[in-house]
Amino acid sequence: MLYALTVAVEGGHAKATLLGLDSEGWVYVGLTIFLLLAIFVGKAPQKIVEALDGRIAETRRQLDEAKAIRAEAEALLSEARSRTQASAGDAAAIVAQAEADAKAMLAKAESDAAELIARRSKMAEDKIAAAERGALAEVRAQAAQAATRAAAELIGARYGAEADKTLVDRAIAGIGRPN
């Protein structure tokens, strides 16, 4: 039968092991777990940065589309100007319409891009704020657990069976007395 806790005698000193590891081995196991957690938790900010970079790339792609639309509008404008020279009657109306369309497209593309950037920035800020709130709550929970453990250890150290007996005797003696 295999026992999880064993005691080995080396050089006249008893050496306790748990699952085949002595205290030094468990220190290495704990350090390894800590380092792995540090690596995986440390990658969270990198993932946030990667997500933001992706959003920035998408915004740049949309801005490039807007520039392409602008170039297309400018091409349409130049085409309209060439037609203007061919037909003098409708020239002023065609040029005015093309310029208005180009300006409207450009204004819409710029406002859409600005809205998108603002919205995505707000989303990123909200995510970061939520992550900060979560981390703060976790730290508070861990602090409360540590305080509870410390209080339990302090009470356990100060009050033993003898102190409990004295308190019980006092309480029993005070039951029959009027205040």
Side-chain angles (χ1 to χ4, degrees), residues 1-166:
M1 184 170 199
L2 177 68
Y3 290 101
L5 180 63
T6 60
V7 176
V9 177
E10 291 181 8
H13 297 305
K15 189 172 186 182
T17 62
L18 179 63
L19 298 176
L21 294 175
D22 61 357
S23 59
E24 184 178 349
W26 283 106
V27 168
Y28 289 130
V29 169
L31 182 61
T32 302
I33 291 170
F34 173 76
L35 290 175
L36 288 173
L37 284 174
I39 288 169
F40 287 117
V41 170
K43 289 189 178 190
Q46 180 183 1
K47 288 181 182 179
I48 291 172
V49 168
E50 288 172 359
L52 290 175
D53 287 344
R55 289 188 182 139
I56 289 170
E58 176 64 21
T59 303
R60 285 187 179 147
R61 186 191 61 77
Q62 290 179 350
L63 286 173
D64 290 341
E65 281 182 21
K67 288 177 184 177
I69 291 171
R70 180 179 180 173
E72 184 179 320
E74 288 174 354
L76 288 174
L77 180 61
S78 71
E79 182 182 314
R81 287 183 179 156
S82 67
R83 274 192 248 141
T84 300
Q85 294 172 355
S87 67
D90 294 331
I94 292 172
V95 170
Q97 184 62 38
E99 287 177 355
D101 287 347
K103 287 179 183 177
M105 287 172 155
L106 181 60
K108 179 161 179 26
E110 287 175 351
S111 69
D112 287 348
E115 284 180 23
L116 180 65
I117 289 170
R119 191 170 56 241
R120 295 224 171 137
S121 294
K122 176 72 171 127
M123 286 171 48
E125 290 170 0
D126 291 345
K127 282 185 179 181
I128 290 170
E132 287 175 350
R133 286 191 302 272
L136 183 61
E138 184 179 334
V139 167
R140 285 182 179 160
Q142 288 177 357
Q145 287 177 352
T148 303
R149 282 193 303 271
E153 288 177 12
L154 184 63
I155 290 171
R158 284 196 178 168
Y159 297 102
E162 212 34 59
D164 288 345
K165 183 178 185 270
T166 306

